[in-house]
Amino acid sequence: MSFRRGIRQDDFRKALEALARQDGWWRDVLADSSLIIGVRNEYLNVYWQGQSIFKVSFKGGKVTTTTHEKYLLNPELKDQISLVDGKFAFGEAEQRMLTREYEGAKTLEKLKRAASLYSGREKEGVHEIATSNRSVVDVEIAINASGAPGVGRSLPRIDLANFETTASGIDLVFWEAKTFSNPELENGKIFRQIKDYRAVIDLHKTEIDDSYRWVAKNLTEMAEWSNGHRSVAEAVGAVAKGEKINVSNANVGLLVYDFTADQRDRKDKDGKTLNDRVIESLADLGVGPKRIRFKGTTKDLYI
């Protein structure tokens, strides 16, 4: 399979459930609804602003977790370090420089602060959208383009996916996210990106459908283990119980944020705003205004 999501191993899910009842990092993750849990193929990524601060796997019958070493740099460091004869004199500071032990939620906060240093406004925006929409089921979605004709990238990466309840059932909708100042909105790259996304979705529809059924089930289970700290949208719960998902390459949209009213209303020599120009450029792909959202901030940007 070129696209696969889901924690399908019963032993892994049972081990996660048991771990949720014990004091420790996993219980703290579940209790922190500002963190995004991305369900992958038999592993999890725990995201903070686009940075995976934990990778959670199942090896040798046990839940294992790793983090990137860069997130262990203590974000509370503030002292000056002297440079003496070409060497840095760390002294007592050396012991304070790394987060060496997991000591509950305060350590989790340190990891988040350290991870923030590697983020950017677009990733922060995606995080804010995902955490304010309970219908979001995935972030940082890479789909293998092998076999998809005309796709320029080997692994197109889509920012968000959510379930949307419609008159015909539950649609799986993919979203690309951009800040207003991103030049890709003007230079034609956004057209290419969405065209690529539609091609790979069409190629892997069956795998995508199967994967997000498992994702819905996994996220619903995690909400149950979280002692009320996490919840899923009604549509996610319905899919977890067997409701049909509509997977279509037509359900790809664009979210644009971070702009002022003056920027929004600014017109070019032809009297068109950026919103107008983007709508025109994506019309040839069949992406209508319903799937193009411009909002000044990510606060209350609902999808």
Side-chain angles (χ1 to χ4, degrees):
M1 278 191 174
S2 296
F3 186 84
R4 185 178 172 91
R5 290 277 194 274
I7 307 303
R8 304 164 190 247
Q9 297 180 63
D10 285 340
D11 288 348
F12 191 1
R13 299 204 310 276
K14 288 176 182 176
L16 287 171
E17 182 179 9
L19 200 58
R21 295 194 291 266
Q22 304 170 25
D23 287 337
W25 65 270
W26 177 235
R27 188 172 183 175
D28 292 340
V29 165
L30 291 174
D32 187 343
S33 60
S34 73
L35 291 170
I36 298 167
I37 301 176
V39 180
R40 304 299 179 234
N41 181 18
E42 299 302 346
Y43 70 95
L44 305 172
N45 285 130
V46 179
Y47 287 106
W48 175 253
Q49 295 182 354
Q51 312 301 307
S52 177
I53 61 173
F54 287 128
K55 180 180 179 181
V56 186
S57 307
F58 191 63
K59 297 178 181 178
K62 294 182 179 180
V63 176
T64 63
T65 185
T66 61
T67 190
H68 196 286
E69 59 188 2
K70 63 187 178 185
Y71 304 139
L72 295 178
L73 183 64
N74 185 353
E76 297 175 355
L77 295 174
K78 57 186 178 181
D79 291 342
Q80 294 289 311
I81 302 294
S82 297
L83 179 60
V84 181
D85 297 329
K87 295 183 179 181
F88 290 102
F90 291 110
E92 294 180 1
E94 190 166 6
Q95 290 301 310
R96 302 193 304 271
M97 292 181 71
L98 294 178
T99 299
R100 299 175 185 275
E101 296 182 13
Y102 186 84
E103 300 177 306
K106 66 179 183 180
T107 303
L108 197 54
E109 289 302 316
K110 278 188 179 182
L111 295 178
K112 287 160 64 175
R113 286 172 57 194
S116 296
L117 299 174
Y118 301 94
S119 188
R121 184 58 202 133
E122 230 157 56
K123 295 295 186 184
E124 292 171 4
V126 168
H127 191 92
E128 290 163 3
I129 295 165
T131 53
S132 60
N133 287 271
R134 293 187 304 124
S135 63
V136 168
V137 291
D138 208 356
V139 295
E140 301 285 336
I141 307 147
I143 305 180
N144 193 321
S146 177
V151 176
R153 294 171 294 165
S154 61
L155 205 65
R157 190 178 297 275
I158 311 171
D159 290 308
L160 292 150
N162 78 302
F163 288 157
E164 180 180 294
T165 303
T166 69
S168 60
I170 298 172
D171 290 351
L172 176 63
V173 185
F174 294 96
W175 297 93
E176 177 68 8
K178 303 287 186 191
T179 56
F180 188 88
S181 60
N182 192 314
E184 293 177 352
L185 296 172
E186 295 270 30
N187 63 16
K189 286 189 176 181
I190 188 60
F191 179 95
R192 183 77 240 178
Q193 286 175 338
I194 291 182
K195 185 178 180 181
D196 287 351
Y197 298 155
R198 295 182 67 163
V200 295
I201 290 166
D202 194 51
L203 184 66
H204 299 295
K205 283 174 66 173
T206 301
E207 298 162 25
I208 290 170
D209 178 277
D210 177 70
S211 289
Y212 283 105
R213 290 183 180 284
W214 275 102
V215 169
K217 178 179 174 64
N218 295 152
L219 293 177
T220 301
E221 288 174 335
M222 286 181 231
E224 292 169 355
W225 305 335
S226 73
N227 197 27
H229 293 288
R230 290 179 178 267
S231 62
V232 296
E234 184 176 333
V236 179
V239 171
K241 293 177 181 177
E243 187 75 21
K244 180 180 181 293
I245 312 172
N246 301 319
V247 180
S248 169
N249 68 355
N251 287 328
V252 180
L254 173 66
L255 305 170
V256 181
Y257 47 87
D258 271 16
F259 55 87
T260 65
D262 285 344
Q263 289 174 312
R264 178 197 64 202
D265 298 334
R266 189 177 301 147
K267 297 181 179 180
D268 62 13
K269 59 183 178 59
D270 297 318
K272 296 176 181 177
T273 64
L274 179 60
N275 193 350
D276 296 330
R277 297 192 296 276
V278 169
I279 288 175
E280 283 187 5
S281 71
L282 297 182
D284 289 342
L285 291 175
V287 180
K290 176 187 175 184
R291 290 283 182 241
I292 301 173
R293 310 273 181 87
F294 274 67
K295 195 172 188 302
T297 72
T298 51
K299 180 178 173 58
D300 300 328
L301 202 170
Y302 297 120
I303 55 177

